[in-house]
Amino acid sequence: MRGDYLNWPRLVEDALSKWGSVSVEGPFENIVVSGMGGSGIVGDVVKLLALERLSVPVEVVKSHIVPSYVSTRTLFVSVSYSGNTHETLLATARALEKGARVVAVTSGGLLERLAVERGLPVFKTPAGLLPRVSFPHMLTGVLGVLDSSGLTVASRAEVEEAKRQLEREAGEIAGEASSLAEFAYSRELLVVATHSPLEPLAVRAKSEFNENSKIVVKVDVAPEWMHNDIVGYEKPLFDEYRVVAFYDPDDQAGRGLVEFMVGEHERRGRRVRVLALRGANKVGKVLYAAMLFGLASVELALKRGLDPAATESIARYKSAAGRIFGTGPLKP
């Protein structure tokens, strides 16, 4: 899987070649991005990027349930790499019942079939990848759809610069990832710490270590951390943990918050690794962090003698999802 992550610049380039090919006519009162797992993180990042740029709210749905306010004035972006994600298909069907304007982002499956049958716009992603590896293509695709629909959260020029950054720094990022995997290779709980609004990147890191490395990870986000979690570290029943903390160097308050967190952990004798995000813009910082944690999680899996691609327990859940949701098994 190392090669899949290092291939990200080409995935971004392919998605950029389709920039503007899919658009939806507004106006819109809100945006809802639906997706699970490796597809769901796309919505989290879109919400992060939209925070200071859009005047309409962005909601992320990681469930089969959609918000009650979804209406004909909603742009509903349905993201499912496989196209067969139970929760996303159910949420999409409910959004259509409410009259939402739906865009599908998928490599195929039932979501593509639904889109074709209903005449919905589709942004196609390349087949044959793991959903978590296809992240930069799906993200670039959604950013292009939003930009072309008059809802710009990142420009094409910003994405192009982020791609060039990955091309320039891929080797260096791989080296950093190897060092990070060595740090994380421990029987101690791994804690990923950051500051708002970077929580999606911490969640992405957690998910990569979950799926690729097969370990449990805790996420701490400041300043909320200072109002609850911090006390839990005072006299825990279990205190064998180490911390990977990262911050945006262009966010002075964010850096200060992370420095405070690091100080609290170090005064308790815990090992801490601190990272500063790199990138000329927010898209670049997002892709830098995602590639770094993705590669590190693969390296950690290999150190443990595990297959980073295998996700046996997820497969068990998917086989049970039809019974749980009362839909029966999916039939692509």
Side-chain angles (χ1 to χ4, degrees):
M1 287 176 61
R2 290 190 192 100
D4 291 333
Y5 284 99
L6 292 172
N7 191 48
W8 276 13
R10 283 176 284 280
L11 286 180
V12 176
E13 183 175 4
D14 181 75
L16 280 169
S17 71
K18 305 172 187 177
W19 192 281
S21 63
V22 176
S23 64
V24 185
E25 186 176 352
F28 301 105
E29 293 179 350
N30 49 73
I31 302 168
V32 176
V33 186
S34 175
M36 305 295 298
S39 301
I41 194 66
V42 174
D44 293 331
V45 171
V46 168
K47 186 172 182 177
L48 164 64
L49 297 174
L51 187 62
E52 297 177 349
R53 289 205 174 179
L54 284 187
S55 58
V56 298
V58 177
E59 182 63 71
V60 181
V61 169
K62 294 186 176 184
S63 171
H64 59 295
I65 301 169
V66 301
S68 60
Y69 58 74
V70 168
S71 70
T72 56
R73 293 279 187 157
T74 298
L75 174 58
F76 193 94
V77 185
S78 181
V79 186
S80 170
Y81 178 76
S82 68
N84 296 321
T85 308
H86 253 97
E87 299 91 338
T88 306
L89 288 167
L90 290 171
T92 302
R94 288 169 180 163
L96 287 168
E97 290 173 1
K98 290 174 170 288
R101 306 293 301 279
V102 175
V103 177
V105 179
T106 184
S107 67
L110 291 174
L111 181 58
E112 182 183 27
R113 180 186 298 180
L114 173 65
V116 171
E117 290 175 353
R118 299 292 295 267
L120 308 175
V122 180
F123 185 88
K124 285 291 297 283
T125 63
L129 298 172
L130 293 172
R132 53 192 181 276
V133 172
S134 67
F135 166 70
H137 196 282
M138 293 188 292
L139 175 63
T140 302
V142 174
L143 295 179
V145 169
L146 293 175
D147 181 58
S148 303
S149 303
L151 297 163
T152 303
V153 299
S155 67
R156 177 171 184 151
E158 289 174 305
V159 179
E160 289 173 340
E161 174 54 36
K163 176 184 75 75
R164 289 191 292 269
Q165 174 195 350
L166 290 187
E167 290 172 334
R168 291 191 304 267
E169 300 183 7
E172 186 175 349
I173 295 172
E176 293 173 345
S178 180
S179 176
L180 182 57
E182 189 67 40
F183 175 81
Y185 189 31
S186 165
R187 291 187 179 276
E188 298 175 336
L189 174 70
L190 183 63
V191 176
V192 178
T194 191
H195 60 86
S196 179
L198 301 183
E199 183 174 359
L201 301 185
V203 171
R204 171 69 180 191
K206 177 195 76 70
S207 299
E208 292 286 72
F209 282 112
N210 292 157
E211 292 191 76
N212 292 333
S213 309
K214 282 72 178 173
I215 63 172
V216 176
V217 180
K218 183 179 188 298
V219 170
D220 287 340
V221 183
E224 177 67 10
W225 182 84
M226 284 75 169
H227 298 271
N228 37 59
D229 294 83
I230 188 173
V231 182
Y233 286 101
E234 289 181 2
K235 297 184 183 298
L237 293 171
F238 174 86
D239 66 351
E240 296 180 4
Y241 69 93
R242 58 184 54 193
V243 182
V244 174
F246 65 89
Y247 65 91
D248 182 348
D250 295 321
D251 186 333
Q252 183 176 353
R255 180 171 186 164
L257 288 166
V258 168
E259 288 174 349
F260 182 89
M261 297 172 85
V262 168
E264 288 293 301
H265 290 302
E266 288 182 337
R267 68 191 293 268
R268 294 180 171 88
R270 309 319 305 169
R271 292 189 62 190
V272 183
R273 175 69 63 89
V274 183
L275 308 169
L277 298 186
R278 299 207 302 267
N281 56 57
K282 287 186 177 180
V283 178
K285 291 171 183 174
V286 164
L287 293 180
Y288 162 78
M291 178 183 274
L292 173 62
F293 288 120
L295 285 168
S297 64
V298 168
E299 293 294 339
L300 180 55
L302 297 177
K303 285 179 178 295
R304 300 186 65 206
L306 302 175
D307 177 4
T311 51
E312 296 176 4
S313 49
I314 293 177
R316 287 197 299 274
Y317 166 69
K318 288 182 177 179
S319 68
R323 171 181 55 79
I324 292 170
F325 292 111
T327 61
L330 294 175
K331 298 178 180 179

